[in-house]
Amino acid sequence: MATFIVVIHLTACVALIAIVLLQTGKGAEMGAAFGGASQTLFGGSGGGSFMSKLTTGAAIVFMITCLLLSFMHRPGFHNRSVMTGIPAAEQPQAKPQEPPQPAAPEARPVQPEAQSPAPQAPAPAKNVPGQ
């Protein structure tokens, strides 16, 4: 049904363009009044009425098909998804992402700084009995 309406819509669109391009402007009658030949397709006076009616009819068909197409393609009209019938892609189940852990500092052996030995005070003299 939608394809049929689209075909009618496109036909009305092309017909409307052609009909408007076939019409002559309002100033064409003035050229005929001063001796120029009339350039209308259907004669001097008979073409205006027929062409205006044809333009009106094509415009009405164009507007009706526009409304029908917009009504048919609104969400929920067919109660189905546009993705119906398309196989789902096999995707592995994604694990929930854990927050990133801060990078651990490199494990380097701790080396004590080279320290010079502290000066030691002389040991106090011990009183040993018997010396």
Side-chain angles (χ1 to χ4, degrees):
M1 171 98 171
T3 306
F4 178 69
I5 294 175
V6 168
V7 169
I8 292 174
H9 182 72
L10 290 175
T11 305
C13 180
V14 171
L16 190 59
I17 291 170
I19 292 167
V20 168
L21 289 176
L22 284 174
Q23 291 180 5
T24 56
K26 295 290 181 186
E29 290 85 22
M30 289 304 291
F34 293 109
S38 177
Q39 295 181 359
T40 59
L41 183 63
F42 298 104
S45 62
S49 174
F50 175 74
M51 291 300 272
S52 65
K53 288 180 184 178
L54 201 58
T55 304
T56 303
I60 288 172
V61 170
F62 182 78
M63 284 187 241
I64 289 173
T65 55
C66 279
L67 290 173
L68 284 174
L69 288 172
S70 66
F71 179 73
M72 288 176 61
H73 293 294
R74 68 184 165 96
F77 181 72
H78 296 290
N79 292 329
R80 64 183 174 93
S81 173
V82 295
M83 300 300 288
T84 303
I86 297 175
E90 294 295 326
Q91 296 179 357
Q93 294 291 331
K95 294 180 183 177
Q97 293 185 355
E98 298 175 8
Q101 299 294 329
E106 293 180 19
R108 289 185 279 177
V110 178
Q111 297 177 354
E113 294 180 16
Q115 294 180 355
S116 60
Q120 295 186 2
K126 293 184 181 180
N127 290 336
V128 181
Q131 267 187 341

